[in-house]
Amino acid sequence: MAELKKLNVLVVGTGEYTTGYVGGTAADSDKGSGVVALTMFDLRRRHKVQRIGMCGVNGKKFPGIRAHMQKRIGDVYENMDLSCETWPADDSVDPKSYIQASSTFQRGDVAIIFTPDDTHFDIAMECIQRGMHVMVTKPIVQKLSHHIELAKQASIQNVLLAVEVHKRLDPFYADARDRARCSLGNFQYMYAYMSQPKHQLETFRGWAGKSSDISYYLNSHHVDFSEWVLAGIARPTRVTAMASTGVAKAKGIDTEDSITLNVLWENLNDGTIGCGVYTSSWVAPKSDVHSQQRFFYMGTKGEINVDQAHRGCTVAQDGQSFASVNPLFMKYTPTNGKFSGQDSYGVKSFEHFMDACRAVNAGEKKPKDYNDGSLATVHTTMQGTAILEAGRRSLDADGQPMDILYDDKGGSKTEEPYAIRPHTY
């Protein structure tokens, strides 16, 4: 068996999910210590990662980021080496710093991209063309055409390209997926809701309504879940979107408050139709959870209800708001002084990808081996991108339905969409 060598990792993006640092302080959310950087430092502690680089736009933030990570990671957990190369320099601002940063990495190294949605395509393409394996936060891109281009380039370079969709590692969602596929028959109906409190609009003021929207940001979770559940069972064919407005615009942010996508799914075995309704919002009141997340799924032979936000664990503490906590996502509380969140699905999502990259680099696996649903690869997530783009286009066309097109040949129904066009009656 070939040696599984340690990985060199470039993290592109320095915001809430990477470092937990927002607006000069810890994020006012359930991710104040970040997820990506903490996970990479822990993987280095466990001898899976070696070199770590971090790339942003504004290098002037890095002194604050380093101090924040020392306070929230170095001072909390034992044996955490926080050494990290950074781009651009501490006195520089450079939106293209990822080009210089990625040039210092080699084929087989890894790039993890957590940046505004409209930057994903250019950054991912740069890293892929250098032969790096790449994981991109959801949505991987905003346009189906860009998704198809990235898929082709990943195949040419023979690298892994995947979407970071940690809900697939949530044991509740994973079990629901398997139950739906094994025993609930054809797809009939799904309703999914996901929200964040309205103060998040301030966190995302820099891009909200300018380069992306709440549907790309939050509906992407349950849209991906549907694509994962229904792979080989059903495919999306039409999307109609609607939105609520008022709160964000009162704050001077020109974007929708809530977006609902109505998606028709065609069952592949008999052509019958199911309906998915996906609603996301970032104007919810602050409550016992940072993010409300739930869905109802019905097949022809049964149904499932999952409330991801409430796992039966509540915490009340002096000086803190009452909270329903979810340590299944991220367990920040140390055990005997050490970080012990390795079984959290927020960590597993990255670790599974890193393990796959090590296996590919060692010649034990090929990138195409992971198109079996074990990873959300670029080749198996095109429907999700098509749904999200169609939703945006429907909103921009005042609610006109958008059809998702497939190149069916020889009587067989394919699952890879190739285009989106306005529906005509």
Side-chain angles (χ1 to χ4, degrees):
M1 180 181 295
E3 178 187 1
L4 295 180
K5 295 181 179 180
K6 297 178 184 179
L7 294 167
N8 297 321
V9 182
L10 173 63
V11 179
V12 186
T14 62
E16 178 182 31
Y17 207 83
T18 297
T19 65
Y21 186 76
V22 176
T25 189
D28 182 18
S29 70
D30 57 349
K31 296 177 281 290
S33 297
V35 177
V36 184
L38 172 58
T39 299
M40 294 305 113
F41 294 139
D42 184 60
L43 288 175
R44 178 161 59 190
R45 183 179 69 86
R46 293 191 283 128
H47 309 295
K48 293 188 175 185
V49 165
Q50 186 164 294
R51 178 190 177 203
I52 298 174
M54 188 180 297
C55 177
V57 171
N58 188 352
K60 299 174 184 179
K61 293 181 179 179
F62 279 121
I65 289 172
R66 294 186 194 104
H68 166 78
M69 292 194 300
Q70 182 60 45
K71 178 180 179 181
R72 298 297 295 250
I73 300 175
D75 294 345
V76 175
Y77 309 110
E78 296 177 3
N79 303 324
M80 282 289 201
D81 174 12
L82 304 188
S83 60
C84 178
E85 301 166 66
T86 57
W87 292 269
D90 287 7
D91 60 354
S92 299
V93 176
D94 182 6
K96 300 286 188 179
S97 63
Y98 65 87
I99 297 175
Q100 179 187 1
S102 61
S103 72
T104 70
F105 286 78
Q106 307 296 320
R107 175 171 290 275
D109 291 343
V110 173
I112 297 174
I113 301 170
F114 272 74
T115 59
D117 297 347
D118 64 328
T119 67
H120 293 177
F121 176 75
D122 290 339
I123 300 172
M125 186 64 78
E126 180 74 23
C127 294
I128 290 167
Q129 290 177 338
R130 293 186 184 278
M132 299 176 73
H133 305 297
V134 178
M135 172 172 265
V136 187
T137 185
K138 59 201 150 312
I140 183 171
V141 285
Q142 295 175 302
K143 296 181 179 180
L144 177 59
S145 61
H146 284 171
H147 195 131
I148 292 170
E149 283 188 59
L150 287 179
K152 290 179 179 177
Q153 193 60 222
S155 294
I156 291 170
Q157 297 293 337
N158 196 36
V159 298
L160 265 176
L161 173 56
V163 192
E164 198 285 313
V165 277
H166 49 260
K167 296 308 300 177
R168 294 190 181 200
L169 281 300
D170 182 334
F172 284 47
Y173 278 53
D175 181 70
R177 186 246 187 184
D178 292 341
R179 289 177 186 271
R181 292 180 64 82
C182 292
S183 57
L184 298 190
N186 274 357
F187 176 58
Q188 281 274 299
Y189 174 76
M190 179 172 175
Y191 167 72
Y193 175 74
M194 192 167 182
S195 71
Q196 289 191 355
K198 57 177 63 73
H199 72 260
Q200 284 293 93
L201 282 168
E202 297 301 327
T203 299
F204 303 131
R205 178 181 284 272
W207 57 262
K210 300 172 185 176
S211 61
S212 194
D213 60 36
I214 188 58
S215 182
Y216 277 115
Y217 178 53
L218 289 186
N219 273 335
S220 53
H221 291 74
H222 286 112
V223 165
D224 175 76
F225 177 71
S226 290
E227 182 173 15
W228 187 43
V229 169
L230 297 174
I233 296 174
R235 63 183 186 180
T237 58
R238 188 175 303 161
V239 180
T240 308
M242 57 191 71
S244 305
T245 60
V247 176
K249 291 185 178 180
K251 293 176 176 287
I253 303 172
D254 188 16
T255 190
E256 300 88 357
D257 296 339
S258 306
I259 294 176
T260 296
L261 306 180
N262 295 282
V263 183
L264 296 184
W265 293 78
E266 176 191 11
N267 287 299
L268 297 174
N269 63 349
D270 60 8
T272 57
I273 299 297
C275 181
V277 181
Y278 309 88
T279 297
S280 59
S281 175
W282 45 16
V283 299
K286 196 167 185 177
S287 67
D288 59 325
V289 296
H290 179 67
S291 179
Q292 298 284 353
Q293 302 179 39
R294 54 185 177 266
F295 73 82
F296 169 80
Y297 178 98
M298 183 172 67
T300 55
K301 298 179 180 179
E303 64 186 41
I304 303 173
N305 266 297
V306 174
D307 180 357
Q308 187 274 347
H310 300 92
R311 304 299 180 100
C313 181
T314 60
V315 175
Q317 184 178 350
D318 289 345
Q320 302 289 330
S321 299
F322 176 79
S324 294
V325 298
N326 178 18
L328 293 176
F329 167 58
M330 281 296 290
K331 181 184 180 298
Y332 288 111
T333 309
T335 300
N336 298 325
K338 292 183 172 58
F339 177 68
S340 55
Q342 292 82 11
D343 289 332
S344 304
Y345 60 81
V347 171
K348 284 183 176 181
S349 181
F350 293 102
E351 187 167 3
H352 285 191
F353 179 74
M354 304 296 272
D355 288 343
C357 293
R358 296 175 79 199
V360 170
N361 287 349
E364 294 181 359
K365 292 280 190 177
K366 297 179 180 178
K368 66 180 182 180
D369 293 338
Y370 295 96
N371 293 337
D372 60 355
S374 55
L375 288 178
T377 69
V378 67
H379 305 288
T380 59
T381 51
M382 291 184 187
Q383 293 176 1
T385 298
I387 290 171
L388 294 170
E389 182 190 354
R392 183 67 258 170
R393 289 175 59 176
S394 175
L395 283 176
D396 292 342
D398 199 26
Q400 181 176 5
M402 295 287 158
D403 290 335
I404 298 173
L405 307 181
Y406 300 86
D407 188 15
D408 295 341
K409 295 179 180 178
S412 62
K413 295 179 179 179
T414 64
E415 294 183 69
E416 289 191 4
Y418 74 88
I420 299 165
R421 72 180 177 196
H423 177 73
T424 55
Y425 293 95

